[in-house]
Amino acid sequence: MSTTMSTSSTSSLEPLFAFLSYSLATAESAFYRLPGSAVIVRYVKSSHQNDPGRTLLELILIIFAIRTLLQSRTRTDKQQKHFIEFNEKEIDELVADWNPEPLTQPLSAEDQADIACVPIISGPTGPKPRLVVPNSPSPSKPVINLATYNPTGLAGSEYLKSRAISTLRKYGLGSCGPTGFYGMIDVHLELEKAIAGFLGADAAILYAQALSTVASVIPAFCKRGDLVLADRHASFAIRKGLEISRATVRWYEHNDLASLEEVMMGIERDERRRARRRGCLSSLTRMLGLTHKRMQAKYIVTEGIFERDGAMVDLPKLVELKNKYKYRLILDESMSFGTVGRTGRGLTELYNVPATKVDMIVGSVANALGTGGGFCAGAEAVVAHQRINAPASVFSASLPALLAVAATEAINILSASPSILESLHENARAARAALDKIDGIEIPSHPASAVIHVCLKPSFWGWREPATDEGTPTLSSPGLLHPSSASALVPPALSKSTSSKSTSSKSGHSLPSYSSSVSPTSQVYPPPSAEQIAFEESILQEIADEALGQGVLVVRARRLRGQEVNEPRASLKLCVSGGQAATGAYGGEPGGGGLSKKEIEKACSVLKSAIGKVASRRR
Amino acid sequence: MPYEPSPMAFRSSPSQSIFKKKSSQTLSPMTSATSYLSALSQADARARAASRSPTSTPALSLSSSVTGSSEDTVLDDTVMDNKDGLLLPVRPPTSEQVFDTVHTEFGHCGNEEFRYTSQHTPGEPVEGHVEKDPPYYILLSTYISYLILICIGHVRDFVGKRVHPARYRHLMPYNGYAPLTSDFDSFYTRRLKQRMDQCFSQPVTGVAGRTILCLDRYSPDYNHTQILTGGRTRALNISSYNYLGFAQGRGGCADAVEESIKRYGISTCGSRLEGGTCDLHTISEALVARFVGMEDALISSMGFATNSTFIPALVEKGCLVISDELNHASIRFGVRISGASVRMFKHNDMRSLEKLLREVISQGQPKTHRPWKKILLIVEGLYSMEGTLVNLPAIIELKKKYKFYLFVDEAHSIGALGPHGRGVHDYFHINPRSIDVLMGTFTKSFGAAGGYIAGNKALIDRLRLRGHSGAYAESMTPPVLTQVVASMASIMGVGLPSSIKPSSTAMTVCAANGEHYQHPGPAPPSMLPAWMALPPRLASGEEGWNRLRRLAFNSRYLALGLIKLGFITYGSPASPIVPLLLFNPGKMNMFHRLMKDRQTPIVVVVVAYPATALVTSRVRFCVSAAHTKEDIDTVLRACDEVGDILDLKHGIPKSERWTVDELVSRAVELVNAPQ
């Protein structure tokens, strides 16, 4: 039966076989007609005769090559082992089932209060602005402004305004393009030159926004595989820059150079051990140039004056360390540029360290000079590299011309009149002297800092950690951070580094009063819990509201709670301004100038009474 | 050690005779590109040597009232001849025509024929991105060019490192420091980009308006250094993002800005949450929200930072961002910081998008297969390198089915598209409220700086608190805010809804304060600062309306004109960005140079890898409302000539092409013809 089946099927398949043999013959003749086909045939025949296994191997190789070529280059989820096959109907059901979360949750009551307490200035800002009063057409009485950055008192300067207006008439407002494509205006080049000259660096590059500057400088240099040592309490922008750079980041304790050195030594030890393990074979191949491994670039990223608490880094010691261990230093001077040093050139001037010793100085044009933008100064190669590799420089329109011109003029004013900075420093000292007398607060900021962070002593305000975490010690010596007590109360673990700091700064730059109070905060305090922050912020807001009622504008330092790593302590951020004496070569300054010493003292006494009031209410 | 001259680096050495730039007639016989180029380069050097003394800057009169076109002569340089047609209009104005703009900033064009309305015809399919291919020999020669460039580059590196180690020090480990950048990473920059550095980072001065003043420069050493000669050249500017021509040093907007500087000073000196907010911020944010038709808006001082600091506040881990493959770097930056997962789809390809959506929703999060918390689709309204418009109608359809959230980056499209300039939703007549987040910048159409993000009130309030900019970035400065308010108000027109002719496509939407209004509609006078007095032409919205229609005409004329001449272009004719494909890397440098060295110099932007795919190097024109029809004629004539020299016409077949004269005379017919 089977044979009949087979014969019948063979007969029915007859035309198919005929067609197949015919097409095979045509294909064969076509193949022979191809030039060079004989060679292939000869090769296959002879290789097959020698070793049939080889033909098979070659065939597999060819199939494999074709498969590789046809495979898509990018791995999609389909190739992953977790992919589940669904049919169209199932997908439709899944799509219909899926219910996304809302794009945003409605604001909570606290969030709404947070927005409601944002002060809105009516008209020009300056040392004594007026505020918008909700539901009222007329603004408030002038208040003493300790909220906004105006260290040099140049906000409202008539001279800068007139220069800005003449620039507007010549250049228009926007630059309408990135620097690469006709957005590089001559006034940008002038400002870059002015900044570089002011700092004593070789060159500088301008960015359109201060926040994006350091977040862009870091990824321009630090690449995957590079090593970055960063301060645990570095600013938000630095952290974002590090995140995007994909470099390996190691953290050291806040403003503690001894901890930095420890980390550096640890890394050096590891490197040596790894080199030994690799042995002589790899070094031999490396010498012969057979293996080429990219050398790891090493960077230190820190701030001059910290945005979070106003502490100041010991620059000479830092430079010494970086040179010893061969690191490059990215120093963010957003807070210190324009506020410290005899003429406001920043930390390099204060410590008398040449700017060329710091590889990249990042600074804010917006904060100190009262216009907009940021900069990075360094060697020619450093700046040239950023022009084509820093995302915020390449992909963003350049700074409006009038802001650049105003900044150039501000630099000219600063370098011509050191009295501006003198008055600022005097005001900062006066503010510190007044604030130090207030009970219940502590100030982690450096005495020279023009931005003063006022934190609460948790124990004074009756803060107790919730009973659940008994393990965390309550604050034993909250007075430790107090600058006046810093020299007396040096914890044993720190005494070595602190003493070395004071010697180095004493020998170099006669700044004995500063050196003693560089106190690492994070070692003393456990990171504050969310409850503690909320508790402190509510008190601080109450104090700020109270002060505003008495005619002094202060603001709580705003943080992105939940998005920060190592949550910073809650604080009031007082920005001292100076520059009363900014007249002279540039004519009278109606509307310009900062606060006088008397006004600062008055503001501090208002703050004191506000704190006292809130304390009596709370306790 | 002096370098040898190379044909790639244009070198200019001083010599004696004065050479007038060649007029177009004498150019045509010179068909060989190299002969043309060498002659041109020599001639240019001679010209530069002759005019070494810088043209002096005349004292600018600072009066803010501008009357008629006579201002040009006051404003402009010592060069009084108008041979290049840049300083004065070709056709002098008639007695009844009064132009209140400076011709070099904003061209005078009184002809009502040269206007067009930018809008999508309902029902017509939106075409996706079509990549038109050149002939194979062009592709092949492009690949070979890159191959040669790369080989030469590597040989030079290999030899150079051994012969001149000092010059390679920054690329080699030195004294225990790793190199600043590895020679591999910087290879493209050093060996390919540097060869055409003449095309990039050109320093300029003055207003980036219809024309721009370039600072002349030359490089004695293969573009390692660029030296400014002190001379200046005025060129037709078809490169700046100045779509509506608001880059002006004169006029109503600039007057308002001057007033604001007097009133507010230069800066508000702080971040938005820490005392840097002033009443102008509130006013401008309300106006921006009204302009785009959303409930509320938030302004940021930098366009790049708008994306890079607000996207992280929208999505977090467990969310998915679906991003067009050609999205801007700022979006990638923001998404990467946010920690959300990212998937990309093929540029503007709705089928690819839907396939991806079905996959990601059905699969859920990788490994765990938990459903995504939310999916955010980020697209651009108008893509800055391709000129393609997003297929918004199709995306809105998909959105209904797949429930993702939609973020449209209108960096280039806001102000530039739509009958009312409200961006891509206006162009497609789509209710803005069907989009969740609208983002845009003020750099482009408004002649200002910075960006905004708009959405419903809860969303924007959350961004105010949780966006990185609110707490840490400097706020936008008052002069910039004023420019935004003044230019925006003049596009919208100031008045009560009844005073401006109602649009057929208007829809009623609700503002943050519960008030209902017509969108797109005018700006109520109460929304502007009380001190701001816009001149009647601006306040009535007539000027803005004119600008919108001029931009639409110019864009369409240039895009369709280039196609008719036989070039390969990308993108929609509605787009003010018109990319013209060059392909061969060598042609970029030459195209740029040939355009710049014409009798009427034209500055262009050439873009190549990595901004585009390796083979599709292109020149990108940015059309402006400030251009007159004659300016576009000039560009088309220049392209026609240069295109012949450089063999660029590989588009439509020869029989369908128009000659450039035909094109210029039939411009209105071309623009108004249905697609």
Side-chain angles (χ1 to χ4, degrees), chain A residues 128-144:
Chain A
K128 286 183 190 164
R130 290 165 187 272
L131 296 187
V132 170
V133 183
N135 305 323
S136 151
S138 54
S140 72
K141 271 191 245 145
V143 291
I144 297 180

Side-chain angles (χ1 to χ4, degrees), chain B residues 207-316:
Chain B
V207 176
R210 172 182 157 259
T211 66
I212 195 164
L213 264 180
C214 296
L215 304 181
D216 297 338
R217 59 177 180 176
Y218 72 100
S219 175
D221 54 2
Y222 291 132
N223 295 339
H224 279 275
T225 49
Q226 303 274 3
I227 296 168
L228 296 179
T229 61
R232 303 187 302 177
T233 310
R234 187 171 285 284
L236 185 62
N237 179 12
I238 189 137
S239 299
S240 291
Y241 305 130
N242 176 30
Y243 301 135
L244 290 179
F246 280 107
Q248 286 176 289
R250 310 268 141 183
C253 292
D255 294 345
V257 174
E258 177 174 336
E259 181 63 25
S260 80
I261 295 175
K262 287 180 185 154
R263 281 173 180 266
Y264 285 85
I266 297 164
S267 165
T268 57
C269 304
S271 68
R272 286 297 300 279
L273 295 177
E274 293 176 343
T277 304
C278 74
D279 47 1
L280 263 185
H281 286 105
T282 325
I283 292 173
S284 352
E285 286 178 351
L287 189 68
V288 169
R290 179 66 65 106
F291 185 81
V292 297
M294 290 301 226
E295 228 174 74
D296 203 354
L298 174 58
I299 284 177
S300 148
S301 55
M302 182 189 187
F304 183 92
T306 315
N307 277 331
S308 71
T309 65
F310 289 128
I311 291 177
L314 288 171
V315 281
E316 71 274 330

Side-chain angles (χ1 to χ4, degrees), chain A residues 56-114:
Chain A
L56 191 71
L57 192 73
E58 277 173 0
L59 200 67
I60 292 169
L61 270 177
I62 288 170
I63 291 168
F64 185 74
I66 291 170
R67 184 174 162 264
T68 321
L69 279 176
L70 291 180
Q71 217 166 28
S72 98
R73 297 291 149 78
T74 49
R75 252 168 53 112
T76 59
D77 271 1
K78 283 218 169 117
Q79 278 141 337
Q80 283 169 7
K81 58 181 172 189
H82 295 285
F83 193 85
I84 308 170
E85 286 291 343
F86 293 108
N87 63 36
E88 292 296 302
K89 206 174 146 226
E90 284 168 327
I91 294 181
D92 281 334
E93 277 168 18
L94 284 166
V95 165
D97 272 357
W98 181 61
N99 271 318
E101 288 178 7
L103 189 55
T104 51
Q105 305 292 338
L107 292 188
S108 64
E110 291 93 59
D111 287 342
Q112 268 168 356
D114 247 10

Side-chain angles (χ1 to χ4, degrees), chain A residues 77 82-84 86 88 91-92 94-96 98-108 111 114-115 118-125 132 147-149 155 160-161 164-166 168-182 184-186 189 208-212 215 221 236 240 243-244 246 294-297 299 307 322-323 326-328 360 366 370-373 381-382 385 388 391-392 395-397 400 402-403 406 555-561 563-564 573, chain B residues 57 60 62 64 173 175-182 189 193 200-208 212 215 239-242 247-250 254-255 257-258 261-270 272-279 282 301-302 304-305 309 328-329 333 336-337 343 358-359 361-363 367 369 371-375 401-403 405 436-437 443 447-449 458-459 461-462 465-469 471-474 477 479-480 483 592 603-607 620:
Chain A
D77 271 1
H82 295 285
F83 193 85
I84 308 170
F86 293 108
E88 292 296 302
I91 294 181
D92 281 334
L94 284 166
V95 165
W98 181 61
N99 271 318
E101 288 178 7
L103 189 55
T104 51
Q105 305 292 338
L107 292 188
S108 64
D111 287 342
D114 247 10
I115 285 190
V118 173
I120 302 174
I121 310 248
S122 169
T125 190
V132 170
T148 56
Y149 302 112
L160 292 190
K161 281 190 198 173
I165 290 171
S166 60
L168 167 75
R169 291 307 181 182
K170 190 173 169 205
Y171 293 89
L173 191 101
S175 61
C176 291
T179 50
F181 300 143
Y182 308 98
M184 188 190 266
I185 313 177
D186 50 359
L189 299 172
Q209 189 193 45
L211 175 74
S212 300
F221 292 103
F236 192 81
K240 291 297 143 193
E243 267 172 38
I244 203 120
R246 293 180 170 143
R294 186 168 167 263
M295 191 176 172
Q296 187 181 43
Y299 295 88
E307 191 268 333
K322 86 156 196 94
N323 286 337
K326 313 254 184 222
Y327 282 71
R328 286 198 179 88
M360 296 121 201
T371 63
V382 167
H385 179 77
I388 30 184
F395 297 108
S396 159
L402 65 88
L403 296 180
V555 287
R556 189 153 58 76
R558 291 300 189 127
R559 305 289 170 202
L560 303 170
R561 298 294 175 198
Q563 297 182 66
E564 313 255 0
K573 189 168 169 187
Chain B
T57 324
L60 286 172
L62 281 177
S64 50
N175 191 20
Y177 287 94
L180 206 54
T181 161
S182 79
T189 313
K193 180 185 167 283
F200 305 118
S201 300
Q202 165 75 51
V204 298
T205 184
V207 176
I212 195 164
L215 304 181
S239 299
S240 291
Y241 305 130
N242 176 30
Q248 286 176 289
R250 310 268 141 183
D255 294 345
V257 174
E258 177 174 336
I261 295 175
K262 287 180 185 154
R263 281 173 180 266
Y264 285 85
I266 297 164
S267 165
T268 57
C269 304
R272 286 297 300 279
L273 295 177
E274 293 176 343
T277 304
C278 74
D279 47 1
T282 325
S301 55
M302 182 189 187
F304 183 92
T309 65
H328 190 250
F333 197 108
R336 239 170 82 187
I337 284 184
R343 293 294 297 273
R358 292 177 73 83
E359 185 197 317
I361 295 176
S362 63
Q363 294 294 321
K367 284 189 184 169
H369 293 288
W372 296 102
K373 285 194 203 161
K374 49 195 172 193
I375 295 178
K401 184 169 175 199
Y402 294 99
K403 294 172 276 190
Y405 298 107
D436 298 285
V437 191
T443 318
L459 175 83
D461 276 345
R462 188 152 291 277
L465 284 177
R466 292 186 51 82
H468 307 166
S469 287
Y472 292 114
E474 74 243 34
T477 60
V480 182
Q483 172 79 16
H592 179 267
V603 288
V604 296
V605 165
V606 289
V607 271
R620 187 186 63 174

Side-chain angles (χ1 to χ4, degrees), chain B residues 425-437:
Chain B
H425 71 259
D426 189 22
Y427 179 82
F428 287 114
H429 307 300
I430 285 172
N431 189 334
R433 300 293 169 92
S434 54
I435 301 164
D436 298 285
V437 191

Side-chain angles (χ1 to χ4, degrees), chain B residues 279-463:
Chain B
D279 47 1
L280 263 185
H281 286 105
T282 325
I283 292 173
S284 352
E285 286 178 351
L287 189 68
V288 169
R290 179 66 65 106
F291 185 81
V292 297
M294 290 301 226
E295 228 174 74
D296 203 354
L298 174 58
I299 284 177
S300 148
S301 55
M302 182 189 187
F304 183 92
T306 315
N307 277 331
S308 71
T309 65
F310 289 128
I311 291 177
L314 288 171
V315 281
E316 71 274 330
K317 212 162 168 286
C319 300
L320 177 72
V321 171
I322 296 181
S323 168
D324 189 292
E325 61 178 354
L326 294 181
N327 272 351
H328 190 250
S330 58
I331 298 176
R332 297 167 189 219
F333 197 108
V335 172
R336 239 170 82 187
I337 284 184
S338 74
S341 308
V342 198
R343 293 294 297 273
M344 295 211 265
F345 66 97
K346 206 161 157 275
H347 174 52
N348 215 10
D349 183 341
M350 292 305 119
R351 229 172 290 158
S352 156
L353 172 63
E354 180 160 16
K355 198 162 145 255
L356 181 64
L357 280 166
R358 292 177 73 83
E359 185 197 317
V360 294
I361 295 176
S362 63
Q363 294 294 321
Q365 298 190 32
K367 284 189 184 169
T368 61
H369 293 288
R370 289 203 187 132
W372 296 102
K373 285 194 203 161
K374 49 195 172 193
I375 295 178
L376 182 68
L377 173 67
I378 306 186
V379 290
E380 288 187 43
L382 172 61
Y383 288 84
S384 64
M385 289 296 164
E386 333 297 306
T388 33
L389 294 184
V390 67
N391 191 345
L392 199 57
I395 288 183
I396 298 286
E397 280 307 309
L398 287 178
K399 181 171 152 56
K400 282 179 195 148
K401 184 169 175 199
Y402 294 99
K403 294 172 276 190
F404 55 82
Y405 298 107
L406 178 57
F407 180 115
V408 181
D409 176 339
E410 296 220 64
H412 286 270
S413 51
I414 190 72
L417 288 179
H420 312 88
R422 308 299 167 87
V424 71
H425 71 259
D426 189 22
Y427 179 82
F428 287 114
H429 307 300
I430 285 172
N431 189 334
R433 300 293 169 92
S434 54
I435 301 164
D436 298 285
V437 191
L438 280 175
M439 174 268 167
T441 63
F442 302 124
T443 318
K444 279 102 190 179
S445 295
F446 306 101
Y452 67 85
I453 193 159
N456 66 40
K457 183 146 178 23
L459 175 83
I460 297 302
D461 276 345
R462 188 152 291 277
L463 292 180

